[in-house]
Amino acid sequence: MASVTHERVVTEAEAASLPIDVETIRDSVDASLAMRLDTSTREQIDARTGFLIGHLSMLLAEDLGADEDKTVMAHYRACYHLLDLPRRPTDKTPAYEAYSFMRELARRTEGLLSIYEKQGHTES
């Protein structure tokens, strides 16, 4: 079983060069939040977590005005805290903790996506 800790994360430079696909990210967040622990396998949770980490990394690479807006900065800090490698589930992490981590990633991704859209970014 692959560990989330070992997932390849998009670098900030790579993320900055990729377009943000709002619809794809929204669909990924919705699918993640719709997953249920009792009907999801650990592999499904880990796969969805990998997608969310990629989406969140891309959003974090965008200039959303964190230096000028304390609310945006708070979102950035919470996201970077969550993405810290030691906090990520490993293959030894119980499924319910990996599931909780995935849901938190989805909520944080949804929050940054909302800021991205409110600022008038409409790429999709």
Side-chain angles (χ1 to χ4, degrees), residues 58-76:
M58 287 181 15
L59 288 166
L60 286 168
E62 291 294 310
D63 181 7
L64 300 178
D67 293 334
E68 297 85 31
D69 187 328
K70 290 180 183 181
T71 302
V72 175
M73 180 57 80
H75 279 282
Y76 269 62

Side-chain angles (χ1 to χ4, degrees), residues 3 13 19 21 30-32 38-39 47 50-51 60 63-64 66 69 80 91-93 95-96 99 103 113 115 118-119:
S3 166
D21 185 341
D30 290 346
S32 299
D38 61 341
T39 59
F51 288 127
L60 286 168
D63 181 7
L64 300 178
D69 187 328
Y80 281 118
D91 55 349
K92 296 185 183 348
T93 304
Y96 66 88
Y99 175 79
R103 290 184 58 82
L113 185 60
I115 292 168
K118 285 178 185 172
Q119 292 183 357

Side-chain angles (χ1 to χ4, degrees), residues 92-123:
K92 296 185 183 348
T93 304
Y96 66 88
E97 287 182 24
Y99 175 79
S100 293
F101 180 82
M102 178 203 66
R103 290 184 58 82
E104 183 65 18
L105 269 176
R107 286 190 291 273
R108 294 294 177 189
T109 302
E110 185 175 48
L112 271 189
L113 185 60
S114 176
I115 292 168
Y116 180 83
E117 291 178 299
K118 285 178 185 172
Q119 292 183 357
H121 302 282
T122 57
E123 293 93 1

Side-chain angles (χ1 to χ4, degrees), residues 25-35 52 106 110:
I25 295 173
R26 175 85 51 218
D27 289 347
S28 184
V29 166
D30 290 346
S32 299
L33 293 174
M35 289 176 68
L52 291 169
E110 185 175 48

Side-chain angles (χ1 to χ4, degrees), residues 8-10 15 25 49-59 83:
R8 183 179 182 286
V9 177
V10 176
I25 295 173
T49 297
F51 288 127
L52 291 169
I53 288 171
H55 296 320
L56 190 55
S57 296
M58 287 181 15
L59 288 166
L83 290 175

